[in-house]
Amino acid sequence: MATLYPSLEDMKGHQVLQAQAAAGVRTPATTVVTEKPKLTSGTGKDLRPPSVCPSEPPVLYPNLAELENYMGLALSSEEIQKNLRTEDSTALTPAGPPPGQLVAPLSGNSAGLRRAEIKPGVREIHLCKDERGKTGLHLKNVDQGIFVQLVKANSPAALVGLRFGDQVLQIDGRNCAGWSSDKAQRALKKANPEKIVMVVRDRPFQRTVTVHKDSTGHIGIVVKKGKIVSLAKDSSAARNGLLTHHCICEVNGQNVIGMKDKQLMEVLAGAGNVVTLTVIPNVIYEHMVKRLSSGLVKSSMDHSIPDL
Amino acid sequence: MSLYPSLEDLKVDKVIQAQTAFSSNPANPAILSEASAPIPYDGGLYPRLYPELSQYMGLSLNEEEVQRNLVAAAAQPQGQLVTRPSTNYMVAPVTGNDIGIRRAEIKQGIREAILCKDQDGRIGLRLKSVDNGVFVQLVQANSPASLAGLRFGDQVLQINGENCAGWSSDKAHKVLKQASAERISMIIRDRPFERIITMHKDSTGHVGFIFKNGKITSIVKDSSAARNGLLTEHNICEINGQNVIGLKDSQVADILATAGNVVTITVMPSSIYDYIIKRMATSIMKSLMDHSIPEV
């Protein structure tokens, strides 16, 4: 089973580091030779070829100054070392990490990655109503399943960690399969205000893509009305396979549905160098917000940053 | 907060937790009322839990099996580090360490696959452009692509170091044709449009959904499929990790029947599925597609 990486830049960075570490025991001349073809084939751009260091000591983390302009990223030895050290198992032995391990030399420390992570499984949550008897939750029937359509800001639903797109499997022990949206809302209304037990599947229709900003701070997407309209060639978004006709639901785990494009760009700008986007195909998104008034989406949707 | 691969695991775990809490503190009846809430058929006390579980939700459970699965789950390291993005961090008293889940599991990340061409110069792979990305449309049986573990729906990010973003299907095939026969390096994102749902058969051996031409058309009320939130308008791509696209409905039913008590199916929304297989002749899908059981 191959090694997994959250983004392409992690894979390339890790491969280069592994090559350097493996070559560290050989003569320095060989190091340079094996490094060059990897770098140029990785981007197809003209890079400064790594400078030949004939008397390089066999250090495990060689100077990554040559990598600084790699793929337009600003890499530095210290940053990568920091990210690698926090992952105990990515010790740079020539054997590499055990198979199936998620290796992230560049994205490793990103809180956004962990906040946005979609966990494939079923979990139980307890919800209570606020003093007006509301949960702040709107549900919708999609394909005979019940999904979260809206989570109002500062509501009990937001507190408990529900997000747009979560599938609700059970409410108070009753299966929601086949319920209409009205039936689901009624069940919520009639439920005990002290405690509502819900079984939730984490955002089944969405997926996360981790991208990195280049030296100009761009990830390479053009967003219009919250939807990805085009990708910039040779950008991190293109490399990591972000697709057009997708709607951005979250940036680093923070819900951005309903935000104006300008606000969305601000969130992206403030997001740090590693950005984890949660996307959903347009057709499914349109289906889910059908008949949800756009006023509600813009004014009351919860846009807070979730806790880890 | 614990995660479970299926609803049955969640319920059984709650019941077991309630029972252990009750046995450690027999004077506390409040715990039992919570345990009885999700189990409508029996509101009484649970002096000996496991024998009652044997008829729970139509599953056939027995004490030893559940104990075995729980011990195995607890023994696995559940540290903060995501050691393997798989079922290791989930609690699964009923599903246990099922091999079907491990085969079907969609790995959240990017991996590299190395392929070489066979003696005819072919890879056995057909690609399709979707939303400015390139996806695997067909993996031929006994081909280099199937050996490399590629599956229907995988997204190809790079071929030999070149980004595939924005390529048409023709361009992608041309690049593959011109590539060296010795070694083709592809960077793959694992089946982005698909997801897995784990279900359990009831005592009659049914999971609880009806399908036609590989597409789920309806869900049976109060079945494992309904409980676990399986949706209609989805196409079945795999059963326990084995590709079933293009197989006849009767063949798929056979695979379901022989699948064992835990069934993990991989589904994809129909609109996306139809788009990916557009203009691919159905005969090719039926005759050439790789239907082997992947290794874990």
Side-chain angles (χ1 to χ4, degrees), chain A residues 1-8 11-12 15 41-42 89 100-102 119-124 142-145 147 167 169-170 175 177 195 199 201 204-205 207-209 234 238-241 243-246 281 284, chain B residues 1-4 7 10-11 14 34 81-85 89-90 107-112 130-133 135 155 157-158 161 163 165 187 189 192-193 195-197 222 226-229 231-234 269 271-272:
Chain A
M1 201 166 23
T3 327
L4 288 179
Y5 304 88
S7 73
L8 204 97
M11 175 190 278
K12 294 300 179 195
Q15 283 174 347
S41 67
S89 45
Q101 192 86 27
L102 197 72
K119 303 164 199 51
V122 169
R123 69 187 199 274
E124 186 178 89
V142 177
D143 289 341
Q144 311 306 324
F147 286 78
Q167 182 182 5
L169 299 179
Q170 288 195 346
N175 291 331
K195 178 162 90 163
V199 177
R201 192 186 280 279
F205 280 125
R207 64 184 193 277
T208 57
V209 178
D234 290 333
R239 270 195 297 270
N240 283 289
L243 300 174
T244 57
H245 299 111
H246 277 59
I284 300 180
Chain B
M1 185 169 55
S2 321
L3 279 186
Y4 305 89
L7 201 103
L10 194 160
K11 294 300 177 195
K14 287 257 163 293
E34 187 187 292
L81 189 65
V82 179
T83 55
R84 189 192 299 202
Y89 60 80
M90 291 202 263
K107 304 166 193 51
Q108 303 298 323
I110 301 180
R111 69 184 200 279
E112 183 172 13
V130 178
D131 286 343
N132 290 312
F135 287 78
Q155 181 181 6
L157 298 179
Q158 288 191 350
N163 291 329
I187 312 280
R189 190 186 281 279
F193 282 124
R195 64 183 194 276
I196 58 171
I197 302 186
D222 289 334
R227 273 195 294 271
N228 283 291
L231 302 174
T232 57
E233 297 304 309
H234 277 62
S271 47
I272 301 174

Side-chain angles (χ1 to χ4, degrees), chain B residues 69-254:
Chain B
N69 284 338
L70 270 182
V71 166
Q76 281 154 8
Q78 303 206 355
Q80 316 82 313
L81 189 65
V82 179
T83 55
R84 189 192 299 202
S86 73
T87 51
N88 282 1
Y89 60 80
M90 291 202 263
V91 180
V94 178
T95 309
N97 205 8
D98 180 58
I99 190 161
I101 292 191
R102 281 182 290 150
R103 273 198 229 121
E105 192 193 335
I106 295 176
K107 304 166 193 51
Q108 303 298 323
I110 301 180
R111 69 184 200 279
E112 183 172 13
I114 314 278
L115 296 117
C116 16
K117 298 189 183 176
D118 64 7
Q119 57 266 55
D120 295 328
R122 285 198 254 244
I123 309 178
L125 191 62
R126 219 177 261 221
L127 301 173
K128 171 120 175 90
S129 161
V130 178
D131 286 343
N132 290 312
V134 174
F135 287 78
V136 173
Q137 196 187 40
L138 171 78
V139 176
Q140 283 187 9
N142 304 322
S143 65
S146 69
L147 258 120
L150 288 177
R151 308 203 214 190
F152 175 90
D154 278 337
Q155 181 181 6
V156 180
L157 298 179
Q158 288 191 350
I159 299 181
N160 283 337
E162 293 174 55
N163 291 329
C164 304
W167 286 5
S168 68
S169 318
D170 294 328
K171 175 155 184 198
H173 288 131
K174 202 159 44 153
V175 170
L176 278 182
K177 197 161 160 186
Q178 289 166 345
S180 130
E182 301 298 306
R183 179 185 199 275
I184 305 178
S185 155
M186 292 172 70
I187 312 280
I188 308 284
R189 190 186 281 279
D190 201 4
R191 288 164 288 155
F193 282 124
E194 298 171 37
R195 64 183 194 276
I196 58 171
I197 302 186
T198 304
M199 299 170 285
H200 299 259
K201 289 188 182 166
D202 63 12
S203 46
T204 64
H206 289 130
V207 180
F209 61 90
I210 300 177
F211 62 97
K212 201 165 152 63
N213 291 333
K215 183 157 108 162
I216 299 176
T217 51
S218 42
I219 316 277
V220 175
K221 208 162 138 71
D222 289 334
S223 63
S224 183
R227 273 195 294 271
N228 283 291
L230 188 64
L231 302 174
T232 57
E233 297 304 309
H234 277 62
N235 277 77
I236 307 176
C237 298
E238 300 169 4
I239 295 180
N240 281 344
Q242 177 186 6
N243 182 16
V244 297
I245 296 179
L247 287 180
K248 283 210 254 270
D249 286 344
S250 51
Q251 286 171 299
V252 178
D254 279 337

